[in-house]
Amino acid sequence: MTEERELTLEEQLAALEAERDEHLNDLKRVAAEFENYRKRVLRDQESLVARAHERLVKELLPVLDDLERALDYASKHEEAKLEEGVALVHRSLADLLAREGLVEVETNGKFDPHTQEALLSQPSDQEEGAVIQVVQKGYKLGDRVLRPARVVISQGSDG
Amino acid sequence: MTEERELTLEEQLAALEAERDEHLNDLKRVAAEFENYRKRVLRDQESLVARAHERLVKELLPVLDDLERALDYASKHEEAKLEEGVALVHRSLADLLAREGLVEVETNGKFDPHTQEALLSQPSDQEEGAVIQVVQKGYKLGDRVLRPARVVISQGSDG
């Protein structure tokens, strides 16, 4: 019955108007949410970086403390304590960096151009292309090479 | 003339339909942009923190190198070089942290509960409430106190 009859033009107009207004309201609402989100993201990003940094700097404070204690032993020429102190500082910094994901670049075996830099090659009784000396350790953080290992490689025995 | 005449209902319907469709299209476009932005932000935040971290970890590598050199002197009991080495490591770590914005908490003068923690108070010839000893240095990063200075304060001479 009523469901079957055609809408009058006036009724169609009213329905369309309602639809148009609804879309317009939704558009305004989504645009406002987007804008607020954008502003919040900018604020968050700054504080995210600041907080990430802050945490790491804070973890370095005990290393700095241990180092100052070692410095104090050095100034008093208390050598045994100084040696212990340096070992302690080294362990705490190395542990901290390992917790951050730092790992040493492998240097056992053949030269790897992705993680190593060859400073020079020398004749040696090792196989050609083998790493024969590490001049400076290399480090990776996750997949990224922060610093390649600087190495000397073998030219082979007939180099 | 034509401008003055009323639109027919059919014309009004067509105009409304066009408006409704335009709003709906805008709505879909803005919603899609919003969604893409949200996804990008999530990706960016991860890499932002990772990169901020990476830079700082990378700057710590020379400190670790110097420390290993000092450790090497320690194992060989080359005391003069060890002492120099420790001084060098300390300077490079302290400089790095200063560049990051780290500053020591002031401890000259009266006790400041915002940046200091009083471990105990002792009778002394200094004015009541004056800091008379720093047990552990405090540090600030920008406005934030990373660690309060741990101090002993004066009870005054009649304490």
Side-chain angles (χ1 to χ4, degrees):
Chain A
M1 318 278 169
T2 42
E3 294 91 5
E4 294 298 317
R5 79 169 168 83
E6 291 252 327
L7 293 175
T8 64
L9 282 180
E10 283 82 358
E11 283 170 330
Q12 289 183 40
L13 263 180
L16 262 178
E17 234 168 34
E19 268 187 77
R20 177 202 60 186
D21 291 348
E22 199 189 321
H23 293 329
L24 186 57
N25 284 336
D26 286 349
L27 175 62
K28 284 179 181 165
R29 186 179 43 76
V30 172
E33 275 174 26
F34 191 2
E35 188 52 30
N36 286 336
Y37 184 77
R38 221 195 286 261
K39 283 183 192 155
R40 210 186 61 217
V41 161
L42 283 179
R43 272 198 314 274
D44 283 0
Q45 282 183 340
E46 282 173 26
S47 68
L48 200 69
V49 169
R51 257 176 302 136
H53 241 148
E54 190 177 294
R55 187 185 59 73
L56 194 48
V57 169
K58 197 169 175 176
E59 288 192 35
L60 284 165
L61 296 183
V63 179
L64 194 60
D65 291 338
D66 290 341
L67 207 41
E68 290 184 353
R69 216 163 293 130
L71 210 55
D72 198 41
Y73 294 137
S75 72
K76 292 178 191 152
H77 302 289
E78 299 188 39
E79 307 304 354
K81 283 184 175 172
L82 171 57
E83 287 175 18
E84 258 176 53
V86 169
L88 177 72
V89 173
H90 177 258
R91 207 161 40 239
S92 51
L93 182 60
D95 286 353
L96 184 160
L97 292 173
R99 281 197 305 275
E100 293 301 316
L102 191 75
V103 286
E104 274 183 38
V105 162
E106 275 284 343
T107 48
N108 291 325
K110 225 175 137 53
F111 175 66
D112 170 14
H114 300 296
T115 59
Q116 298 168 1
E117 188 184 314
L119 297 180
L120 69 160
S121 65
Q122 284 177 344
S124 93
D125 52 9
Q126 296 209 37
E127 172 174 20
E128 191 182 330
V131 172
I132 51 176
Q133 192 196 336
V134 180
V135 178
Q136 188 182 47
K137 281 184 186 172
Y139 289 98
K140 296 202 296 181
L141 193 65
D143 290 338
R144 311 244 306 154
V145 175
L146 287 193
R147 186 173 82 183
R150 297 196 164 91
V151 299
V152 178
I153 60 178
S154 171
Q155 282 175 6
S157 50
D158 303 315
Chain B
M1 322 286 169
T2 41
E3 295 89 6
E4 294 299 315
R5 79 167 169 85
E6 291 251 326
L7 291 175
T8 64
L9 282 178
E10 283 82 0
E11 284 169 329
Q12 289 182 38
L13 265 179
L16 262 178
E17 235 168 36
E19 269 187 77
R20 180 204 56 186
D21 291 348
E22 197 187 324
H23 293 329
L24 186 57
N25 284 335
D26 287 349
L27 176 60
K28 284 180 183 165
R29 185 178 44 76
V30 171
E33 277 175 25
F34 192 1
E35 189 50 30
N36 286 336
Y37 184 77
R38 222 194 285 260
K39 283 183 193 153
R40 211 185 60 217
V41 161
L42 283 179
R43 272 198 312 274
D44 284 1
Q45 281 183 340
E46 282 173 25
S47 69
L48 201 69
V49 169
R51 256 177 303 138
H53 244 148
E54 188 178 295
R55 188 185 58 74
L56 193 49
V57 169
K58 197 170 177 175
E59 289 192 35
L60 285 165
L61 296 183
V63 179
L64 195 60
D65 290 338
D66 290 341
L67 206 44
E68 290 184 353
R69 216 163 292 131
L71 211 55
D72 197 40
Y73 295 136
S75 73
K76 293 179 193 154
H77 303 288
E78 300 189 40
E79 306 303 354
K81 282 184 176 171
L82 171 57
E83 287 175 19
E84 258 176 54
V86 170
L88 177 72
V89 173
H90 177 258
R91 206 158 45 238
S92 51
L93 182 59
D95 286 354
L96 183 161
L97 291 172
R99 281 197 306 276
E100 293 300 317
L102 191 75
V103 286
E104 272 182 39
V105 162
E106 274 285 343
T107 47
N108 291 324
K110 225 175 139 48
F111 175 67
D112 171 14
H114 300 297
T115 59
Q116 298 167 1
E117 187 184 315
L119 297 182
L120 68 160
S121 65
Q122 284 177 343
S124 94
D125 53 10
Q126 293 207 39
E127 169 172 26
E128 192 183 327
V131 172
I132 52 176
Q133 195 197 332
V134 180
V135 178
Q136 188 183 45
K137 282 185 187 174
Y139 289 98
K140 296 201 297 181
L141 192 66
D143 291 338
R144 311 245 306 154
V145 176
L146 285 194
R147 184 173 83 183
R150 296 197 164 92
V151 299
V152 178
I153 59 177
S154 171
Q155 281 176 6
S157 49
D158 303 315

